[in-house]
Amino acid sequence: MKTPGEQKDRTWILAAPGVGYLTVLYALPLGLLLLASFRLPEAFSISAYVDFFGDPFNWYIIWNTLRSALLTTAFCLLIGYPAAFALAWSKGWLQALFLVSLILPLSVGIVVKAFAWTIVLRSDGVLNQALMALGFTDEPVRLIFTETGLIFGAVNVFVPFMIMPVYSVIRLLDPRLAEAARTLGAGPLYVFWKIILPLTVPGIIAGIAFVFSLALAMYVIPTLLVGERFMTLSQQIARSYLYLRNETLGSTVAVVLLVFSLIVIVASQWLAGKVRANT
Amino acid sequence: MTVLERLARLAVWTIGLAVCVYLMVPLFVTVAVSFSASPVFDLPPPSWSLRWYEALGSKRGFLPSLSLSVQIALISTGISLVLGTLTAIAVVKGRFPGRTAISTFVVSPLMMPGLVIGIALLQFLREIGYRDAYTGLILGHVIVTLPFIMRTVQASLSLFDFTLIDAARTLGLSYPKAVVKVLVPVLSPAYLSSGLFAFLASMDNYPISIFLTDARNKTLPIQVLEYLEVRPDPTIAAISSLLILLTIIVLVISDRLVGLRRMTDF
């Protein structure tokens, strides 16, 4: 809709290099991977998928992947949501402490972090020593090479991705809103439930989408903390390409994982749009 | 304050501090192990020594990997800063359709499985006959670093008054000069925080790199995992502790320049 006198909008040209780059080196390769999993363009066959979904072991892998991602996300929300408030309320050195403990662990790579957790979680490790010293248990609790250990490590790596988006919406909250509600006689539970929670929903959606998609795709953490016994889609992808050299299986599993991630992205965008429309 | 409110506040502070401790555990473990005299990761260490730091120089492969990772991270972050700023300007200032879609697209690699991006890129590069591992790694790492820059710069630009650039032009500056003199200073905090996050994300990337490396070009995370699987010893803790120290220095400098608080505009 150009009106006379209005300048033609040429700003899109600025987006061309970035979008072009990702189209050629990211979207196109992913598209080709998708085509290859159907054996296109030479033929069209869904046999790889029939084989994949016909094998109960693969359903077990999918279930492992989804369950560990869901548990990781749930725990991240459980501790990340209150922690975001603590970060927002804190001042001075306390705030510096919070910020440093969010940013500094990023300097230790996931590989080293996961390995550090194996030291903490092993049966003669610090955590078991502490549990026994405090009298919670008489003999070491098996933590490493279990799903509990995996969730322990995964939440540790991903919880900043829950705290940051929630914190960024808490910061925008107008404290006068809660005050006004209190003055008008609303109880604290009512204020939280009807005012604070709804206003932080965009941050919660962003955090859940972030953590869930990262946890779905995690590879290094389960490899080090659980190992081969707990197969996830990512581990199956790496195994088929790097050890089995089975590219057909690899590309099929890759597409399955890709579809899960796309669903998370699309669903979170849709939910965020819905929330925006309601407020 | 009612009892309920007090309890809620107490719970928030307790969880907040507990999360801080929880987040720092891997760092404490790493630093403690790096000064241990024992080669088997005993905690607390039976006695202290600097032997793993001394071993760093003589261990083959570590320093080249560190240097490769730093190079890849610097170059890919640099490319992403340029591409990300241009795209963010277009999305914030433009009035063309599909701007939200572009923004989602550019940020999407952050939420996509790294292994899948890595395989897809590897097969594509093989298909077109491209075999250089070094540039392959850079190409892949731009995909991972770009979302960090795009998110932060876009958020920062949405608060920027673009008429300031027109004002600078009216005062006689050419368009590129006006952009450099007016826009870049406004964006520098965003550059600092998103650049740091992007740099660290590239340094830490395993899933994409694993498909793009070759025997002579191994990035640090790949070298470290390989080493851990073969015969783990605290040399890795020593190299990681040096990286922690380096990040502390960067954070202190950033705090002086823009304030730590702005670093979380993530």
Side-chain angles (χ1 to χ4, degrees), chain A residues 201-202 205-206 266-279:
Chain A
V201 162
I205 294 173
V266 171
S268 64
Q269 290 283 327
W270 178 77
L271 268 176
K274 239 181 123 86
V275 169
R276 258 199 302 274
N278 281 343
T279 47

Side-chain angles (χ1 to χ4, degrees), chain B residues 107-174:
Chain B
V107 177
S108 70
L110 209 54
M111 295 171 66
M112 285 294 220
L115 285 173
V116 181
I117 298 176
I119 291 160
L121 182 58
L122 170 75
Q123 290 185 334
F124 177 72
L125 292 179
R126 251 197 284 172
E127 196 87 8
I128 60 171
Y130 194 84
R131 289 194 181 278
D132 184 52
Y134 187 83
T135 42
L137 280 168
I138 292 174
L139 291 176
H141 279 229
V142 170
I143 301 172
V144 212
T145 48
L146 191 51
F148 289 93
I149 312 286
M150 177 72 185
R151 271 178 75 95
T152 312
V153 173
Q154 192 187 334
S156 175
L157 275 180
S158 60
L159 306 170
F160 177 72
D161 182 2
F162 278 94
T163 52
L164 286 175
I165 292 180
D166 298 330
R169 291 189 65 191
T170 321
L171 293 173
L173 288 180
S174 67

Side-chain angles (χ1 to χ4, degrees), chain A residues 216-277:
Chain A
L216 269 181
M218 62 184 170
Y219 168 69
V220 174
I221 305 170
T223 303
L224 277 169
L225 286 178
V226 203
E228 291 278 295
R229 256 175 305 169
F230 187 85
M231 287 295 277
T232 63
L233 288 172
S234 284
Q235 279 168 299
Q236 181 71 324
I237 293 170
R239 205 167 69 109
S240 6
Y241 277 99
L242 300 173
Y243 303 109
L244 307 176
R245 307 268 164 204
N246 183 343
E247 298 209 347
T248 320
L249 176 65
S251 63
T252 313
V253 188
V255 169
V256 172
L257 183 57
L258 190 67
V259 169
F260 279 130
S261 302
L262 282 172
I263 291 174
V264 177
I265 295 175
V266 171
S268 64
Q269 290 283 327
W270 178 77
L271 268 176
K274 239 181 123 86
V275 169
R276 258 199 302 274

Side-chain angles (χ1 to χ4, degrees), chain B residues 20 25 31 35 61 82 87 96 103-104 116 132 141 144-145 150-151 161 169 186 190 203-204 218 225 241 249 266:
Chain B
C20 277
V25 165
V31 175
F35 289 112
V82 176
T87 315
F96 54 92
S103 158
T104 309
V116 181
D132 184 52
H141 279 229
V144 212
T145 48
M150 177 72 185
R151 271 178 75 95
D161 182 2
R169 291 189 65 191
V186 172
M203 286 289 288
D204 187 25
K218 266 187 202 150
L225 189 61
S241 302
I249 295 171
F266 171 74

Side-chain angles (χ1 to χ4, degrees), chain B:
Chain B
M1 259 201 271
T2 61
V3 179
L4 194 62
E5 266 178 306
R6 275 173 208 277
L7 278 178
R9 288 198 169 252
L10 185 69
V12 162
W13 287 114
T14 314
I15 294 175
L17 288 171
V19 167
C20 277
V21 174
Y22 176 50
L23 284 171
M24 294 300 261
V25 165
L27 273 76
F28 289 135
V29 172
T30 308
V31 175
V33 163
S34 78
F35 289 112
S36 163
S38 151
V40 289
F41 307 104
D42 278 329
L43 266 186
S47 60
W48 306 92
S49 87
L50 287 173
R51 57 189 278 208
W52 307 115
Y53 289 90
E54 285 156 13
L56 263 185
S58 57
K59 282 275 173 356
R60 285 179 51 176
F62 270 120
L63 293 182
S65 290
L66 179 63
S67 139
L68 175 71
S69 274
V70 171
Q71 287 173 39
I72 303 281
L74 281 178
I75 298 172
S76 61
T77 305
I79 296 174
S80 289
L81 279 171
V82 176
L83 294 180
T85 307
L86 292 176
T87 315
I89 292 176
V91 167
V92 173
K93 193 165 182 267
R95 290 289 164 265
F96 54 92
R99 282 172 295 135
T100 325
I102 288 182
S103 158
T104 309
F105 175 58
V106 176
V107 177
S108 70
L110 209 54
M111 295 171 66
M112 285 294 220
L115 285 173
V116 181
I117 298 176
I119 291 160
L121 182 58
L122 170 75
Q123 290 185 334
F124 177 72
L125 292 179
R126 251 197 284 172
E127 196 87 8
I128 60 171
Y130 194 84
R131 289 194 181 278
D132 184 52
Y134 187 83
T135 42
L137 280 168
I138 292 174
L139 291 176
H141 279 229
V142 170
I143 301 172
V144 212
T145 48
L146 191 51
F148 289 93
I149 312 286
M150 177 72 185
R151 271 178 75 95
T152 312
V153 173
Q154 192 187 334
S156 175
L157 275 180
S158 60
L159 306 170
F160 177 72
D161 182 2
F162 278 94
T163 52
L164 286 175
I165 292 180
D166 298 330
R169 291 189 65 191
T170 321
L171 293 173
L173 288 180
S174 67
Y175 189 72
K177 253 201 174 138
V179 168
V180 170
K181 291 256 174 190
V182 179
L183 193 56
V184 171
V186 172
L187 285 180
S188 53
Y191 280 158
L192 195 66
S193 69
S194 64
L196 178 68
F197 282 118
F199 181 84
L200 290 173
S202 164
M203 286 289 288
D204 187 25
N205 186 281
Y206 182 90
I208 293 185
S209 308
I210 184 69
F211 291 105
L212 301 171
T213 44
D214 60 19
R216 282 189 302 140
N217 296 282
K218 266 187 202 150
T219 59
L220 190 61
I222 291 170
Q223 184 78 29
V224 168
L225 189 61
E226 226 169 68
Y227 194 80
L228 283 178
E229 278 171 345
V230 182
R231 51 187 174 106
D233 74 38
T235 319
I236 285 145
I239 204 170
S240 304
S241 302
L242 291 179
L243 287 176
I244 297 174
L245 183 68
L246 199 71
T247 314
I248 293 178
I249 295 171
V250 172
L251 283 182
V252 169
I253 296 172
S254 315
D255 188 37
R256 287 287 136 79
L257 288 178
V258 297
L260 264 189
R261 206 185 141 96
R262 296 194 69 163
M263 302 291 288
T264 50
D265 293 330
F266 171 74

